[in-house]
Amino acid sequence: MSTALITGASSGIGAIYARRLAARGHDLVLVARATDRLNALASELCDAHGISVEVITADLTDSIQLDSVLKRLRSAPVIDILVNNAGAALVGDFASAEPDKMQTLLRLNVIAPTLLASAVIDNMLARGNGSIINIASVLALLPEYSHGIYAATKAYVLTLSQSLAAEVSAKGVYVQAVLPAATRTEIYERAGGDISKVPDVMEVEALVDAALVGFDRRELVTIPPVPEVAAWEAFEQARSVLASGFSNSEPAERYRSSV
Ligand SMILES: NC(=O)c1ccc[n+]([C@@H]2O[C@H](COP(=O)([O-])OP(=O)(O)OC[C@H]3O[C@@H](n4cnc5c(N)ncnc54)[C@H](OP(=O)(O)O)[C@@H]3O)[C@@H](O)[C@H]2O)c1
């Protein structure tokens, strides 16, 4: 029986990952700050699916509490699937953002998933098996749409997923970046926003079920709302055309004069 560790499992996307992975028979380690919600979900999933569930209460922006999750990822029973899901948004402009709040967001959305993946990767590489699911956002590809640093944190998650996949996929470790668009969860209200003003909101169960189809197909990047995969493939093709110009010891002709 394999074990999945899910961060941010107390609500929204993480809670649905917990339900779906429990239904698939995985044992679970649930991580978030809200112990009561984690315990309630754990007991429901144990009863419904006969799996074993550990709960770790941790604020992932606190280095000591993060350390308890890093230790769990390095120990037994081994973690077969890491779902790097915990995250938050920060409403408002970059110019008016408080540095403390930006630092907390960077700890949660960037540093925590990076160190969690780092803690689990050695075990996965040694076994030649394991999966890391990183929840990014379509805003990683649409930074102009969102002010402040949230989109940049999610671009980091996408880029990390792509470079990590290039490093480990041939060694048996699967990495998936999931890019949700607007999804009905608590994230908007937590950030002081209002989801009723957001158009085309996907239900969270539909988002996770689609992401798991991408997982089963071993997609590197899964963007549930995009109707045609050809659009993503064309984007990747354009990126590779651009990249073909990177290997050049001379600046391009257009930069050789100042006019
Ligand atoms: N909903 C969307 O429209 C949308 C779109 C694109 C991407 N995403 C991404 O999806 C992921 C999940 O968000 P969601 O939409 O499901 O929002 P959510 O319902 O607010 O869930 C966020 C989860 O993260 C946990 N969390 C927040 N701060 C934490 C901290 N300091 N330490 C540990 N856990 C913390 C929360 O639990 P506790 O409060 O109990 O700690 C909760 O379980 C995020 O990475 C988000 O950026 C969401």
Side-chain angles (χ1 to χ4, degrees), residues 8 10-11 13 33-34 58-60 85 136 150 154 183 185 188 190:
S10 62
S11 71
I13 293 169
R33 294 167 301 180
D59 181 338
L60 298 175
N85 163 77
Y150 177 77
K154 292 299 172 178
T183 306
T185 70
Y188 296 90
R190 285 178 192 256

Side-chain angles (χ1 to χ4, degrees), residues 125-211:
L125 288 173
R127 289 180 288 119
N129 191 24
S131 304
I132 299 174
I133 301 171
N134 292 324
I135 307 299
S137 166
V138 291
L139 293 177
L141 303 172
L142 203 58
E144 303 83 357
Y145 192 79
S146 137
H147 294 183
I149 64 169
Y150 177 77
T153 69
K154 292 299 172 178
Y156 174 88
V157 173
L158 173 59
T159 299
L160 176 68
S161 305
Q162 290 168 311
S163 75
L164 185 56
E167 183 179 325
V168 300
S169 62
K171 298 170 184 165
V173 179
Y174 166 55
V175 181
Q176 180 192 27
V178 177
L179 277 57
T183 306
R184 195 175 313 284
T185 70
E186 297 174 14
I187 197 166
Y188 296 90
E189 273 66 27
R190 285 178 192 256
D194 179 358
I195 199 169
S196 69
K197 296 190 175 133
V198 179
D200 303 321
V201 177
M202 189 177 289
E203 297 304 325
V204 64
E205 293 82 1
L207 180 275
V208 174
D209 288 340

Side-chain angles (χ1 to χ4, degrees), residues 2-239:
S2 74
T3 302
L5 186 146
I6 305 165
T7 67
S10 62
S11 71
I13 293 169
I16 301 302
Y17 264 105
R19 291 179 192 287
R20 297 302 191 253
L21 294 178
R24 290 179 174 210
H26 298 285
D27 291 332
L28 299 177
V29 183
L30 306 180
V31 180
R33 294 167 301 180
T35 314
D36 291 354
R37 295 176 92 173
L38 293 178
N39 283 339
L41 183 60
S43 95
E44 178 199 321
L45 297 179
C46 288
D47 291 349
H49 303 290
I51 57 163
S52 101
V53 184
E54 297 168 50
V55 163
I56 303 178
T57 303
D59 181 338
L60 298 175
T61 68
D62 177 296
S63 57
I64 293 168
Q65 296 180 47
L66 173 62
D67 209 41
S68 68
V69 188
L70 300 179
K71 284 198 177 94
R72 176 61 190 88
L73 284 164
R74 293 189 194 103
S75 60
V78 292
I79 301 299
D80 302 278
I81 304 173
L82 166 63
V83 186
N84 256 330
N85 163 77
L90 196 55
V91 167
D93 293 345
F94 182 81
S96 57
E98 292 170 36
D100 285 357
K101 287 193 175 164
M102 286 199 285
Q103 195 167 79
T104 301
L105 194 77
L106 290 166
R107 285 203 189 104
L108 180 62
N109 287 12
V110 172
I111 294 174
T114 305
L115 296 183
L116 292 165
S118 163
V120 83
I121 200 78
D122 281 351
N123 264 339
M124 288 183 175
L125 288 173
R127 289 180 288 119
N129 191 24
S131 304
I132 299 174
I133 301 171
N134 292 324
I135 307 299
S137 166
V138 291
L139 293 177
L141 303 172
L142 203 58
E144 303 83 357
Y145 192 79
S146 137
H147 294 183
I149 64 169
Y150 177 77
T153 69
K154 292 299 172 178
Y156 174 88
V157 173
L158 173 59
T159 299
L160 176 68
S161 305
Q162 290 168 311
S163 75
L164 185 56
E167 183 179 325
V168 300
S169 62
K171 298 170 184 165
V173 179
Y174 166 55
V175 181
Q176 180 192 27
V178 177
L179 277 57
T183 306
R184 195 175 313 284
T185 70
E186 297 174 14
I187 197 166
Y188 296 90
E189 273 66 27
R190 285 178 192 256
D194 179 358
I195 199 169
S196 69
K197 296 190 175 133
V198 179
D200 303 321
V201 177
M202 189 177 289
E203 297 304 325
V204 64
E205 293 82 1
L207 180 275
V208 174
D209 288 340
L212 284 169
V213 171
F215 177 84
D216 293 336
R217 290 181 186 154
R218 292 300 187 250
E219 287 182 353
L220 168 52
V221 177
T222 298
I223 315 177
V226 169
E228 298 296 339
V229 72
W232 169 252
E233 289 165 354
F235 181 83
E236 285 293 87
Q237 177 63 22
R239 194 162 69 90

